[in-house]
Amino acid sequence: MTTSFYPPVRTLMGPGPSDVSPRVLSAMARPTIGHLDPEFIRMMDEIKVMLKNLFKTDNELTMPVSAPGSAGMEACFVNLVEPGDKVIVCQNGVFGGRMKENVERFGGECILVQDEWGQPVDLEKVKAAFADNENVKALAFVHAETSTGVRSDAKALCELARANGALTIVDAVTSLGGVEVDVDGWGIDAIYSGTQKCLSCPPGISPVSFSQKAVEAIQNRTSSVPSWFLDTNLVMGYWGGGGKRAYHHTAPVNSLYALHESLVMLEEEGLENAWARHQKLHLALRAGLEAMGIGFLVDEDCRLPQLNSVIIPDGVDDAAVRTALLKNYNLEIGAGLGALAGKVWRIGLMGTACTQRNVMLCLDALENTLAEMDAPIKIGVAAQAAAAVLAE
């Protein structure tokens, strides 16, 4: 007979999901109430306010989609892209490719701007794409590319789009809560994220925000939004302000408890303090890895502190190391994707997992594992290098 499932206790330092805060897990275990209960609606309103603060926006259409970040992505594209619309899509990793597929699935014309994986989006290439194409409706790009750990200049890209009369659609799945995201300050029109990265929540919820300009574009569509579930015109009947809500779908009640608690925790820490924590601990991890002789894929000036793509030493078996870390230390780090498979590891420092303890655990476990495999690294120097940064 099948028995209850009890997962092992892991330390999650891959590209996501990241560790979930005990406070968030505890919040999920609270009694389930109805998704139209007055108390639940009160909590929904608090979530909206806290999400606005997190996104740094006054957008009324700011809410959590009841599904993972991929659904948040689809919500942005399915509402804004109509058949025949021209959309410039920037691809410098896996997730820009998913943007391209969304545009094409909804009948749009994709104008692809490609950059090497590990490099930020090239502003000059985007300028050229606008110059070569008239009546571009939107520019879509990934702010923090999870497949490589590179950060593109969202502010500059939004300025380019605005100068050319185009909307912006931005993937902030890995950046939100870990580095600066300023929706109103940068002029972002549609943005989506996920709860499983720097928000210390389980996967399954996707915060999104749409500007008034984006809302007007949705309202002025010549065709119906092809997704019933993700049609913002319908969903906002449930997530709109005020006490009376129209039933749209049964919200994931306990998962929203988790999001609420994580946003409370972020308010307590302070958003800028959270960004600083991710940066400081990234510098400590970097010092330890570089002391061992392990380098980074992404240049420092565009490197994400919360997602570190590091070069696997020569002759080292990628899968064997990750398997040993999981078996001997209950530590998960991520593999490379696509052309980077077998060439890099992706080490996450996100949300609750971004701690001094985890930095030292990762360095110690990686050093011991590589030493046992006679990898070409320096032994006995990583912890000291990281500790020196932490003491500053």
Side-chain angles (χ1 to χ4, degrees):
M1 186 175 71
T2 304
T3 59
S4 300
F5 175 67
Y6 292 94
V9 178
R10 308 284 202 202
T11 298
L12 301 180
M13 297 184 69
S18 59
D19 286 343
V20 177
S21 163
R23 277 180 59 176
V24 172
L25 289 174
S26 176
M28 292 186 73
R30 293 169 190 164
T32 303
I33 59 177
H35 63 287
L36 293 172
D37 187 293
E39 278 300 290
F40 188 73
I41 289 172
R42 181 181 65 81
M43 188 199 72
M44 290 168 65
D45 288 337
E46 291 180 353
I47 287 175
K48 284 190 66 176
V49 170
M50 290 189 288
L51 281 180
K52 286 181 180 182
N53 293 335
L54 177 58
F55 276 122
K56 301 187 73 173
T57 185
D58 292 324
N59 291 341
E60 180 57 31
L61 184 42
T62 301
M63 64 182 185
V65 173
S66 299
S70 295
M73 169 182 63
E74 189 160 324
C76 291
F77 284 94
V78 77
N79 280 280
L80 288 172
V81 178
E82 293 191 77
D85 285 344
K86 293 181 181 179
V87 181
I88 297 174
V89 175
C90 305
Q91 183 179 13
N92 59 341
V94 167
F95 295 95
R98 294 187 180 184
M99 287 181 151
K100 172 180 179 292
E101 186 169 341
N102 269 260
V103 170
E104 293 172 344
R105 280 175 179 262
F106 301 131
E109 178 185 340
C110 181
I111 301 159
L112 193 60
V113 173
Q114 291 183 294
D115 286 290
E116 184 179 345
W117 287 29
Q119 294 295 319
V121 173
D122 188 322
L123 297 175
E124 294 304 316
K125 290 182 180 179
V126 176
K127 287 180 184 176
F130 274 116
D132 292 341
N133 295 275
E134 296 181 346
N135 301 317
V136 172
K137 184 173 186 179
L139 169 67
F141 64 90
V142 180
H143 180 215
E145 178 54 72
T146 315
S147 61
T148 64
V150 70
R151 170 170 44 182
S152 292
D153 190 340
K155 182 179 180 181
L157 286 165
C158 288
E159 287 173 353
L160 270 178
R162 192 161 53 250
N164 286 276
L167 298 167
T168 47
I169 302 175
V170 180
D171 178 325
V173 171
T174 298
S175 52
L176 190 67
V179 292
E180 182 181 14
V181 173
D182 188 350
V183 169
D184 286 359
W186 297 346
I188 295 171
D189 292 301
I191 187 168
Y192 57 91
S193 188
T195 51
Q196 74 276 19
K197 308 281 188 174
C198 296
L199 299 187
S200 307
C201 269
I205 300 290
S206 178
V208 300
S209 186
F210 293 83
S211 72
Q212 185 56 36
K213 185 178 175 183
V215 170
E216 291 169 1
I218 296 168
Q219 292 172 339
N220 292 327
R221 288 177 62 102
T222 57
S223 59
S224 297
V225 175
S227 169
W228 179 89
F229 181 66
L230 297 173
D231 185 343
T232 58
N233 298 298
L234 302 176
V235 180
M236 279 305 288
Y238 178 58
W239 273 101
K244 185 173 176 57
R245 304 293 171 93
Y247 169 67
H248 178 260
H249 66 280
T250 303
V253 172
N254 292 61
S255 292
L256 289 171
Y257 294 167
L259 175 58
H260 184 277
E261 188 67 20
S262 76
L263 294 172
V264 168
M265 291 171 57
L266 200 51
E267 279 195 351
E268 290 172 354
E269 181 178 12
L271 190 52
E272 289 78 9
N273 292 335
W275 299 340
R277 170 169 56 88
H278 283 84
Q279 179 64 16
K280 178 69 176 284
L281 289 164
H282 156 73
L283 293 176
L285 178 68
R286 182 195 70 180
L289 290 169
E290 289 182 342
M292 270 194 273
I294 296 175
F296 284 73
L297 173 71
V298 177
D299 293 339
E300 187 172 356
D301 62 346
C302 54
R303 186 183 300 162
L304 289 169
Q306 66 269 45
L307 199 288
N308 301 269
S309 286
V310 302
I311 307 299
I312 298 173
D314 290 340
V316 170
D317 185 322
D318 161 35
V321 170
R322 288 185 290 105
T323 299
L325 292 176
L326 203 62
K327 178 181 177 181
N328 300 328
Y329 298 92
N330 278 309
L331 173 65
E332 178 184 279
I333 65 172
L337 298 177
L340 297 176
K343 298 179 180 179
V344 302
W345 291 310
R346 291 180 295 156
I347 302 176
L349 277 176
M350 296 186 279
T352 294
C354 183
T355 64
Q356 179 175 328
R357 173 195 173 277
N358 282 359
V359 168
M360 302 309 281
L361 168 65
C362 182
L363 291 173
D364 181 60
L366 198 54
E367 183 180 272
N368 290 343
T369 301
L370 290 173
E372 290 172 1
M373 296 179 177
D374 295 322
I377 63 164
K378 296 178 181 177
I379 306 298
V381 291
Q384 184 177 356
V389 172
L390 294 168
E392 292 176 359

